Amino acid sequence: MAATKTKKQKAKKANGEGEVVPRFGKTGISYALRFVAYGEREYLTLDRADFDGLDHAAAQELADEKLKDILAEVRLGIWIPPKRRVVQAAKDGGGGTAVDAEPQRFGPFATGLVDARDGQVSENTTDHDRWALQHLMPFFRDYYLFEIDIAAVDAYRLFKVRESEARQKAIDRGRPKRNDHNQVLKPLSAVSINKTIDVLQFILAVALERKLISENSAAGSKRRLVLPPKRPVHLDSAGHIEALLEVAATMDREPKYHCCEREAIIATLIFAGPRAHEICHLQWRDVDLANGRIFVGRSKTQAGLREIPLLPILRSVLATFKVVHYRGDPDALVFPNIDGEPRNKDTLRTGVLDALFKRADRLLVDRGKLPLPQGVTAHKLRHTFASILVACGEDPHTVMRHLGHTDPLFTLRVYTHMMNRDPEERQRLKALVRGELVIARQAPIPSSSLEAGDYELPILRALVELGGASPRPAVLAAVGAVMANRHTAVDYEELPSGPPRWEARVGKARTRLVQRGWLEAGTPRGQWKISKIGRAKARRAEVQKISRPPARKAELAVAA
């Protein structure tokens, strides 16, 4: 019956007779008229006060009478369109809605505004605005801007909710609704509906600045759907992080995957905390391995323009990655797609992260561990970076600066959460930052205080004694003999990757010495060679060792 009535109303409209449009909102039903006058489509909102105290049937009858009166005036040529009426009121000093310009319809105004901003804002912002217009236009296209009142915004919100419910029911029945491109029309979430209202608020704010309307009816939380509280996602377990790194490295070696930089991408997300669009546009000139920092120069906020210190494990991963992938162009992207173009947040998720998260879940379950928290995304890995910084002893202000935040509340929430973690988990995160794997077994709290830097001077001394150059096994044997009195059971513990813990630290120390120029970088595989600078450093350390008191000999490695 309703469908038949709609067809009749459309037929009347086509014949110039118009239709009554009821609008349902939280405060009740309002009415508008849609008709054609003088060759133009008109949309006129009726005064709600005229319908106070009337039931729906009586209100509908009154709206029909008003429509007949207006159509009669149109036929006689005495009806004045609203845009001429408002301008005339302004000229007469009567205080019309628009003073500087004639009233405009939402459709052309919104489209023109979004098109005019193209190239002045980010591409993501323009795409988001156009996506929102796809939802706003069917409802508001024929509205005059000054007709979009609170009731109209509430009616739009209710319309989108019911539309989404209908789409979901159609999907559940197995007969989903489709668009002109045969794509399934999926229901909008409450968050997405609110985002379209945010764009409506922006459009009306511009109209308000231009004095086309007297108020912004889309402003305020009451115009939005109430959102359920978000479930916190904290990926701050060393075992979870280790699983992601292990799976990423495995997938990079599998020929069926085009992407061969998963390990470097996931390590950067976890240990540097960039936003998705920041890592997608990261250039090699932004990665300063020599000084251990990453520059973020393309961010959505001023606070987002920042310098992030490279943690040891990330510095090692990126140094290895650069050897293979860097082609000498500092402006080249670090993580481009297969065509050499920048990824976006969606292709980063679908092409890199989704499969990685699923494989990591299977690995953890197979090893009897808990899977990753539900809802892990690239953005949630920023929380992980914050947790790692807190575990390493950084204060909330430093964490906030490295994340590129201006609001310290989020940082404090993460800080409080991490400080409530047990000391053992924090020790594991510290070991992970140093590059020590912990996933295969329960890692004890390290009883050794040795770091990779403690092995740098012994490496230089061993190479000097071996004639300046020697294969890796000979260097390891010499360093192991020198450091034997300082090693503990923890240092001799085998890591999942194979070698004892202390040998892994020697490898990290060798990478640092090459980066500083103390060891030669272009030596044959497995051959370590000291440079002139390295020899000078070793000689100076020997002089310091002789000249300093015996009580301070243990500090030489750190001082070097």
Side-chain angles (χ1 to χ4, degrees):
M1 187 71 178
T4 304
K5 183 177 180 181
T6 302
K7 290 181 180 178
K8 290 181 179 179
Q9 288 176 337
K10 289 182 178 179
K12 290 181 179 180
K13 180 183 175 183
N15 294 328
E17 296 187 20
E19 61 177 321
V20 175
V21 182
R23 290 164 23 183
F24 300 91
K26 283 187 176 181
T27 56
I29 303 177
S30 61
Y31 294 88
L33 306 179
R34 197 189 303 272
F35 55 96
V36 177
Y38 314 130
E40 294 186 8
R41 294 186 301 173
E42 299 288 347
Y43 188 92
L44 183 64
T45 301
L46 299 178
D47 191 350
R48 294 175 65 95
D50 295 338
F51 300 91
D52 289 344
L54 300 180
D55 58 22
H56 178 63
Q60 182 72 36
E61 184 177 353
L62 177 59
D64 289 338
E65 290 297 328
K66 289 182 176 292
L67 176 62
K68 291 178 182 178
D69 292 342
I70 290 177
L71 291 177
E73 293 179 1
V74 170
R75 286 192 293 270
L76 294 174
I78 60 176
W79 182 76
I80 301 176
K83 59 182 179 182
R84 285 163 45 191
R85 186 183 306 130
V86 173
V87 171
Q88 185 62 43
K91 290 180 179 179
D92 296 340
T97 302
V99 177
D100 299 326
E102 293 188 1
Q104 298 185 37
R105 295 188 185 276
F106 176 84
F109 179 81
T111 303
L113 177 61
V114 172
D115 290 343
R117 278 162 40 97
D118 191 7
Q120 301 182 39
V121 296
S122 70
E123 184 178 348
N124 287 341
T125 300
T126 301
D127 292 342
H128 174 74
D129 290 346
R130 286 174 175 159
W131 164 82
L133 285 183
Q134 292 176 1
H135 296 277
L136 294 169
M137 281 297 186
F139 193 91
F140 289 113
R141 178 185 289 109
D142 295 330
Y143 273 72
Y144 283 111
L145 291 173
F146 66 83
E147 289 183 313
I148 302 178
D149 53 12
I150 291 176
V153 179
D154 289 345
Y156 166 77
R157 186 182 63 247
L158 180 61
F159 169 75
K160 296 307 292 185
V161 169
R162 291 181 175 175
E163 178 188 66
S164 297
E165 291 173 349
R167 289 182 177 182
Q168 186 60 55
K169 289 179 180 178
I171 293 174
D172 294 340
R173 290 195 302 267
R175 300 178 61 184
K177 298 181 180 181
R178 299 180 180 272
N179 60 16
D180 296 337
H181 301 288
N182 203 35
Q183 297 171 325
V184 174
L185 294 175
K186 297 180 180 180
L188 288 186
S189 66
V191 173
S192 296
I193 293 174
N194 285 350
K195 286 182 178 179
T196 66
I197 299 176
D198 291 341
V199 174
L200 174 63
Q201 178 180 344
F202 162 72
I203 293 170
L204 295 181
V206 175
L208 183 62
E209 290 177 353
R210 299 180 184 179
K211 298 183 180 180
L212 299 174
I213 56 177
S214 59
E215 63 177 354
N216 190 338
S217 302
S221 59
K222 292 183 179 180
R223 306 283 75 77
R224 271 78 173 165
L225 292 169
V226 177
L227 303 177
K230 289 185 178 180
R231 178 180 177 272
V233 179
H234 295 288
L235 181 64
D236 50 16
S237 163
H240 284 164
I241 297 172
E242 214 18 92
L244 286 172
L245 294 173
E246 182 178 345
V247 170
T250 301
M251 296 176 71
D252 285 346
R253 294 191 295 268
E254 294 179 2
K256 68 177 181 178
Y257 292 109
H258 293 295
C259 175
C260 58
E261 57 265 13
R262 276 188 174 86
E263 183 183 17
I265 289 175
I266 198 68
T268 304
L269 288 170
I270 291 174
F271 296 110
R275 297 179 176 91
H277 73 276
E278 292 171 350
I279 192 174
C280 290
H281 291 85
L282 187 68
Q283 297 178 348
W284 280 114
R285 67 167 61 253
D286 301 325
V287 181
D288 185 1
L289 294 176
N291 296 299
R293 55 191 176 181
I294 289 179
F295 298 99
V296 178
R298 285 163 290 279
S299 185
K300 64 181 182 180
T301 65
Q302 186 64 33
L305 307 178
R306 62 199 187 278
E307 179 182 306
I308 306 171
L310 283 175
L311 297 175
I313 184 173
L314 179 58
R315 190 173 185 175
S316 175
V317 170
L318 290 180
T320 304
F321 181 77
K322 186 174 183 178
V323 170
V324 178
H325 295 276
Y326 184 54
R327 296 293 181 267
D329 181 7
D331 293 323
L333 294 170
V334 180
F335 305 116
N337 61 20
I338 194 172
D339 298 320
E341 300 296 327
R343 290 183 169 93
N344 57 45
K345 61 181 180 62
D346 295 321
T347 56
L348 177 67
R349 173 178 54 82
T350 59
V352 179
L353 299 180
D354 283 353
L356 173 60
F357 293 152
K358 291 179 181 178
R359 285 275 292 268
D361 274 342
R362 291 199 297 269
L363 175 69
L364 288 164
V365 172
D366 291 343
R367 292 179 174 177
K369 308 292 184 181
L370 290 175
L372 301 175
Q374 188 175 7
V376 176
T377 62
H379 189 75
K380 294 301 181 183
L381 295 181
R382 282 170 54 76
H383 301 196
T384 303
F385 176 57
S387 297
I388 290 172
L389 292 179
V390 173
C392 292
E394 297 289 357
D395 60 90
H397 178 74
T398 301
V399 176
M400 181 181 71
R401 187 175 69 252
H402 291 339
L403 287 171
H405 279 172
T406 55
D407 181 8
L409 294 180
F410 162 77
T411 307
L412 288 172
R413 286 196 299 270
V414 175
Y415 187 85
T416 303
H417 165 79
M418 191 58 209
M419 291 307 293
N420 290 334
R421 302 284 288 183
D422 59 275
E424 182 178 354
E425 187 61 50
R426 276 190 266 166
Q427 289 291 346
R428 290 178 180 178
L429 284 173
K430 289 182 180 180
L432 183 62
V433 168
R434 293 195 297 264
E436 300 171 3
L437 307 179
V438 297
I439 188 174
R441 58 174 60 90
Q442 293 293 328
I445 298 178
S447 58
S448 173
S449 60
L450 295 178
E451 302 281 351
D454 296 320
Y455 293 88
E456 294 178 0
L457 185 55
I459 291 173
L460 296 178
R461 288 172 177 166
L463 285 171
V464 170
E465 294 175 359
L466 293 169
S470 182
R472 178 178 180 273
V475 178
L476 286 175
V479 172
V482 171
M483 301 293 289
N485 62 338
R486 298 183 62 185
H487 285 161
T488 66
V490 174
D491 299 309
Y492 289 110
E493 184 182 49
E494 288 189 0
L495 298 174
S497 55
R501 194 179 299 275
W502 74 268
E503 286 190 14
R505 293 196 190 117
V506 172
K508 302 297 181 185
R510 190 255 179 188
T511 300
R512 292 184 184 181
L513 293 174
V514 171
Q515 292 171 345
R516 294 175 186 171
W518 296 4
L519 295 186
E520 298 288 348
T523 56
R525 184 178 179 85
Q527 189 80 3
W528 293 14
K529 184 178 180 180
I530 193 170
S531 67
K532 291 182 179 180
I533 301 176
R535 286 181 181 275
K537 295 290 183 181
R539 283 196 302 269
R540 188 176 69 178
E542 290 298 329
V543 172
Q544 292 173 339
K545 177 181 178 181
I546 296 172
S547 61
R548 291 189 179 188
R552 302 191 64 186
K553 288 182 180 180
E555 302 175 8
L556 281 176
V558 178

